[in-house]
Amino acid sequence: QVQLVESGGGLVQPGGSLRLSCAAFVSETIFGINTMAWYRQAPGKERELVAAAISDGTTNYVDFVKGRFTISRDSVKNTAYLQMNSLKPEDTAVYYCNAKVRRNIMGSLRDYWGQGTLVTVSS
């Protein structure tokens, strides 16, 4: 019912910038998308939250990316973005888009995931 498509990953040098996008395609009527977020999973590590944008405008970031990454949402396009600046080799990972969707006014939140986009930071 909700498909998430990520794009924008690639190879960048340390200190460089990259912008990821996540488009949400909704095939049926929903109450709303409560939260859109970015997660990442590096080799040998568990998937971790990077940044989240709530429908009320609140944004949250893990300490490691504060001041470097910015998450934003375009409600008209149903798209979330992650602007990444001052990239470090430790940022290398597969980045996944996540959406928490309320399908009707009485329903609970349901998670949807994108397939991921690879970000490699290397000289």
Side-chain angles (χ1 to χ4, degrees):
Q1 295 88 356
V2 179
Q3 183 182 10
L4 304 179
V5 181
E6 305 108 324
S7 63
L11 174 64
V12 296
Q13 295 183 350
S17 298
L18 208 60
R19 189 194 190 203
L20 307 182
S21 64
C22 172
F25 298 92
V26 182
S27 60
E28 65 180 0
T29 301
I30 62 173
F31 185 77
I33 301 177
N34 178 261
T35 304
M36 298 195 74
W38 288 96
Y39 290 72
R40 70 185 183 187
Q41 186 167 17
K45 296 185 177 181
E46 296 183 353
R47 187 173 300 184
E48 63 179 352
L49 175 68
V50 177
I54 319 300
S55 60
D56 65 1
T58 303
T59 57
N60 294 289
Y61 303 88
V62 295
D63 289 340
F64 186 77
V65 306
K66 286 183 178 178
R68 300 190 299 124
F69 291 10
T70 302
I71 188 171
S72 59
R73 294 176 63 174
D74 186 331
S75 59
V76 175
K77 297 181 179 180
N78 268 347
T79 301
Y81 304 92
L82 185 68
Q83 178 66 47
M84 304 184 294
N85 299 324
S86 301
L87 284 163
K88 304 176 181 179
E90 306 93 274
D91 296 318
T92 296
V94 176
Y95 284 71
Y96 296 91
C97 181
N98 169 266
K100 297 186 183 299
V101 179
R102 192 176 302 280
R103 301 173 74 179
N104 59 73
I105 193 169
M106 298 299 296
S108 60
L109 294 174
R110 178 172 294 187
D111 277 311
Y112 293 88
W113 292 91
Q115 292 185 326
T117 184
L118 177 63
V119 172
T120 302
V121 185
S122 176
S123 60

